[in-house]
Amino acid sequence: MSLTSEDADPSEQRAAARPPAANARPNQVTFNRLELRRILNLYGRMVADGEWRDYAIDFLKDRAVFSVYRRASEVPIYRIEKDPRLARKQGMYSVISATGLILRRGHELERVLLVIDRKLAVV
């Protein structure tokens, strides 16, 4: 006895129609477009000043990390991290120095980046 389309289980049809790549990719934490724009604007200014030269972006399962390098062969001088698990505690954004010291942590990316964003001040 063969199964016709009316005898088949609808859940099996949905599972067969679903692409396998959608299930294989684990959830990742990423920076959204506005966050990346703010970080890359800061990065561009620091590159223009000659202080930073390279960067790396890592999207991990539990956090997203934007690492800034003075030279590509060194350890990152700053890491800008987004960790959603800390959103209700200290804040999901943090800036970490090369030694592992957390320079600033908070709920708003703009305020956290002020620790490394050296804007010109009018005196």
Side-chain angles (χ1 to χ4, degrees):
M1 173 185 231
S2 66
L3 291 176
T4 61
S5 62
E6 57 193 36
D7 294 337
D9 185 15
S11 62
E12 290 176 357
Q13 289 176 353
R14 277 187 265 132
R18 191 176 311 139
N23 294 337
R25 185 173 181 178
N27 292 336
Q28 292 179 339
V29 177
T30 61
F31 291 110
N32 64 32
R33 184 177 296 201
L34 296 174
E35 293 165 342
L36 270 179
R37 182 173 53 176
R38 175 64 180 105
I39 293 169
L40 289 174
N41 282 341
L42 172 63
Y43 175 78
R45 283 198 314 271
M46 297 303 251
V47 167
D49 290 343
E51 294 191 30
W52 296 352
R53 297 197 186 252
D54 201 7
Y55 73 92
I57 301 175
D58 297 310
F59 298 127
L60 306 173
K61 198 171 195 177
D62 59 340
R63 67 182 187 267
V65 182
F66 186 94
S67 303
V68 177
Y69 297 87
R70 185 163 287 140
R71 290 181 190 82
S73 62
E74 294 181 351
V75 296
I77 54 175
Y78 294 111
R79 288 190 334 251
I80 302 163
E81 293 191 2
K82 177 183 179 181
D83 190 347
R85 294 175 301 167
L86 300 175
R88 294 187 180 197
K89 296 177 183 176
Q90 300 115 342
M92 74 171 135
Y93 301 106
S94 60
V95 174
I96 302 169
S97 70
T99 60
L101 179 69
I102 297 175
L103 301 176
R104 185 173 283 179
R105 178 176 281 157
H107 298 283
E108 300 171 9
L109 182 62
E110 289 284 331
R111 298 199 60 189
V112 171
L113 290 180
L114 288 177
V115 73
I116 53 177
D117 190 3
R118 299 184 196 129
K119 293 183 180 178
L120 295 176
V122 178
V123 179

